[in-house]
Amino acid sequence: MRFLLWLFPALLSAGSDWGQTGVRPQSDPGLTPVMQAAPAYDVVLRNGRVLDPESGFDGVRNVGIAGRTIAALSNAPLRGRVEVDATGLVVTPGFIDLHSHGQTPENYRFKAMDGVTTALELEVGVSPVGEWYAAREGRSVVNFGASSGHIPARMAVMKDTGGLLPRDGAMNRPSTPEEQQTIEAALQQGLEQGGLGMGMGITYTPTATPDEILNLFYLAARFKRPVFVHMRGGNVVASLQEVITDAAVSGAPLHVVHINSAATAKTPLALRMIEGARARGLDVTTEAYPYTASMTEIASAAYDGWERRGPEAFASLLWPATGERLTRESFERYRKQGGFVIQFGNTDEMVRAAVSHPLVMIASDGIVENGKGHPRGAGTFARVLGQYVREQKALSLMDAVRKSSLMPAQRLESMSPQMRQKGRIKVGADADISVFDAATVIDKATFENAAQYSEGVRYVLVDGVFVVRDGKLQEAVFPGQGIRAK
Ligand SMILES: [Zn+2]
């Protein structure tokens, strides 16, 4: 239907549409009434401050959207079937979240209200890939996509009983040569089915040897796809050296996820290593989320050896299902039971250094389950705009928008041509757009109540369709498309 309206906007001028859209013919003696009335665009965002991180453009424009595409950027008034007054608001490319574990309708709603138009699960990834995409086509509020995931493939082959992350088979023992072949075959199939690169969380598969990991980099390199990796636990320098070396010798591009929580106090050193790798010609990128606490599964390898720690270690843990801080007793009980745990382990200073560093993209690492989780699942992008841009002035608005839209699009576009038309506000780009009030935009999700929509995001369009309008989530619209590698 949208295509029809786009091709034949004059059709709309007849009939009773005027009252519903508020668009009325204006007197112009040179045109017939029907021609005067014809809106040229499906949607017009009037008079907003447009930011385009690719060209650096920052100025007031009218944005005309035809079908799923940005068709005009103009100083002159534009006529739209639907017109929105964006005076005083900022119009930017919709945000692209490279690290969104939450891939359910509940999570997509939080994403949309945080200004996100594309939410991708690239760290853990999925397996099998084809079925995962099929389950979301036509049912998703925002665009979605996933990498071909080492963790889920290894869990399936090694009969692990964990959930998102391993807790026994894939965590506790090395894989046999036969198992490695089966894991690689599953990962290759995922790449053939359009998986957006390869996902790896080596810290969660500590028994995966350096050889197993390097072989997978070679596989990703054969497909010219990036590896998205949560590096090994332990020594930050050695863990980062492992994946940078694997990228160098295999030729696979590398994206190191959440440098803030992977490197904590060594974040500046880790960023320096990534800068150095890039200066030597390697394709290495990274990301961060704007919180001092992390979250992962308590039964995972991330908490191996914790039983030997002192009481202050347990007190740094928060159980989001109940809001309680942990003790040795409750830690041991919940580790047997399983579930997500939040860990306060970083400083404001390190988070600010990561979020404001020119190389670092913004990505949430978020997941909300039945209203419980870490606030990053709902608030990451509004928090960067409200806390780090407006209140702390740690980076400019344009830089924050670039880190949240253009940079993630560029990370993906060599394998996914769809991404060349996202992350930009220009004629011909996809109409994935966020419109927010820079003076009020802010996250509302907290560690006590993670399931709260961000405020100040007024309009969000996915593929030319409003998913947020007047600050409210729209019901029963599912314009989200699957983003695949080709
Ligand atoms: Zn991670």
Side-chain angles (χ1 to χ4, degrees):
M1 185 58 181
R2 272 191 295 126
F3 275 106
L4 267 182
L5 300 181
W6 177 24
L7 292 171
F8 306 107
L11 289 175
L12 284 169
S13 62
S16 60
D17 252 326
W18 302 121
Q20 290 162 21
T21 63
V23 179
R24 291 180 183 282
Q26 292 169 0
S27 61
D28 180 338
L31 296 172
T32 67
V34 168
M35 288 308 290
Q36 285 171 21
Y41 302 100
D42 292 315
V43 176
V44 169
L45 306 174
R46 270 200 324 255
N47 214 27
R49 177 184 166 195
V50 172
L51 293 187
D52 175 44
E54 186 178 49
S55 63
F57 178 81
D58 178 352
V60 173
R61 286 289 184 274
N62 299 303
V63 181
I65 296 161
R68 51 205 293 183
T69 306
I70 297 173
L73 290 165
S74 174
N75 278 318
L78 302 175
R79 289 267 194 82
R81 188 167 59 83
V82 173
E83 296 189 13
V84 164
D85 182 7
T87 306
L89 303 176
V90 178
V91 178
T92 75
F95 304 143
I96 298 166
D97 188 353
L98 294 179
H99 194 150
S100 187
H101 296 300
Q103 293 285 335
T104 61
E106 178 185 23
N107 282 275
Y108 293 156
R109 290 193 288 270
F110 284 107
K111 290 288 142 197
M113 290 294 284
D114 202 29
V116 172
T117 51
T118 299
L120 307 171
E121 160 60 287
L122 302 184
E123 180 205 38
V124 172
V126 301
S127 183
V129 167
E131 293 167 25
W132 185 90
Y133 277 94
R136 285 162 181 78
E137 290 293 353
R139 295 174 195 168
S140 300
V141 174
V142 297
N143 301 315
F144 55 90
S147 62
S148 184
H150 177 229
I151 286 176
R154 200 173 202 265
M155 287 173 73
V157 171
M158 299 177 75
K159 315 237 176 315
D160 195 285
T161 66
L164 180 68
L165 301 171
R167 65 180 296 166
D168 40 46
M171 168 174 119
N172 293 334
R173 66 176 178 86
S175 50
T176 65
E178 296 71 34
E179 284 171 333
Q180 280 187 40
Q181 275 185 7
T182 316
I183 293 166
E184 281 198 43
L187 285 169
Q188 176 166 342
Q189 187 188 51
L191 294 170
E192 287 162 356
Q193 291 174 348
L196 289 168
M198 190 180 292
M200 261 186 221
I202 316 175
T203 200
Y204 299 116
T205 56
T207 48
T209 61
D211 307 46
E212 177 175 341
I213 299 301
L214 176 58
N215 275 333
L216 298 176
F217 270 78
Y218 280 119
L219 174 60
R222 284 217 313 274
F223 283 77
K224 297 188 167 57
R225 308 250 180 106
V227 179
F228 297 85
V229 65
H230 180 159
M231 59 198 200
R232 251 180 235 285
N235 183 287
V236 168
V237 171
S239 300
L240 193 48
Q241 284 171 337
E242 177 185 23
V243 291
I244 290 175
T245 304
D246 287 356
V249 302
S250 69
L254 169 66
H255 181 85
V256 180
V257 301
H258 51 49
I259 198 71
N260 54 305
S261 62
T264 57
K266 290 192 175 169
T267 296
L269 177 56
L271 287 169
R272 196 173 155 209
M273 290 173 69
I274 292 171
E275 282 176 321
R278 291 173 62 89
R280 256 50 77 188
L282 295 180
D283 182 1
V284 184
T285 54
T286 191
E287 57 167 59
Y289 56 83
Y291 296 86
T292 55
S294 56
M295 183 178 84
T296 193
E297 286 189 346
I298 196 168
S300 75
Y303 291 99
D304 283 359
W306 268 60
E307 52 285 350
R308 292 189 294 277
R309 297 204 180 184
E312 70 291 343
F314 302 111
S316 75
L317 301 179
L318 183 149
W319 193 247
T322 61
E324 73 193 281
R325 291 287 183 145
L326 297 195
T327 61
R328 177 180 304 281
E329 182 278 320
S330 54
F331 172 84
E332 288 173 356
R333 183 158 38 87
Y334 286 134
R335 187 151 156 92
K336 286 196 194 82
Q337 175 193 316
F340 285 111
V341 67
I342 287 170
Q343 180 182 346
F344 290 85
N346 212 346
T347 63
D348 284 324
E349 189 190 353
M350 288 305 135
V351 174
R352 195 162 42 242
V355 165
S356 60
H357 190 283
L359 282 181
V360 175
M361 304 174 200
I362 306 301
S364 74
D365 195 8
I367 182 168
V368 178
E369 283 186 339
N370 301 316
K372 301 290 182 188
H374 185 300
R376 66 193 180 191
T380 287
F381 293 86
R383 183 173 174 80
V384 168
L385 298 169
Q387 271 286 338
Y388 290 85
V389 175
R390 186 176 63 242
E391 289 172 20
Q392 298 188 23
K393 300 188 171 33
L395 70 169
S396 72
L397 181 59
M398 182 67 93
D399 284 343
V401 169
R402 176 182 298 109
K403 289 161 168 281
S404 304
S405 59
L406 179 66
M407 287 169 69
Q410 289 172 328
R411 169 73 287 180
L412 303 173
E413 66 192 23
S414 66
M415 66 172 158
S416 179
Q418 288 165 283
M419 298 311 290
R420 290 176 201 149
Q421 303 308 333
K422 299 192 188 294
R424 286 101 167 156
I425 300 284
K426 65 176 181 185
V427 172
D430 290 349
D432 289 357
I433 299 175
S434 292
V435 182
F436 57 87
D437 183 346
T440 63
V441 64
I442 197 74
D443 57 308
K444 300 302 282 185
T446 63
F447 288 102
E448 292 71 37
N449 186 356
Q452 303 198 76
Y453 291 138
S454 294
E455 283 183 3
V457 177
R458 300 294 307 284
Y459 299 92
V460 178
L461 293 107
V462 174
D463 233 23
V465 176
F466 285 99
V467 298
V468 175
R469 198 164 175 176
D470 293 321
K472 292 188 189 66
L473 198 69
Q474 300 300 286
E475 297 299 325
V477 288
F478 304 105
Q481 311 271 318
I483 307 294
R484 292 177 175 78
K486 288 217 167 61

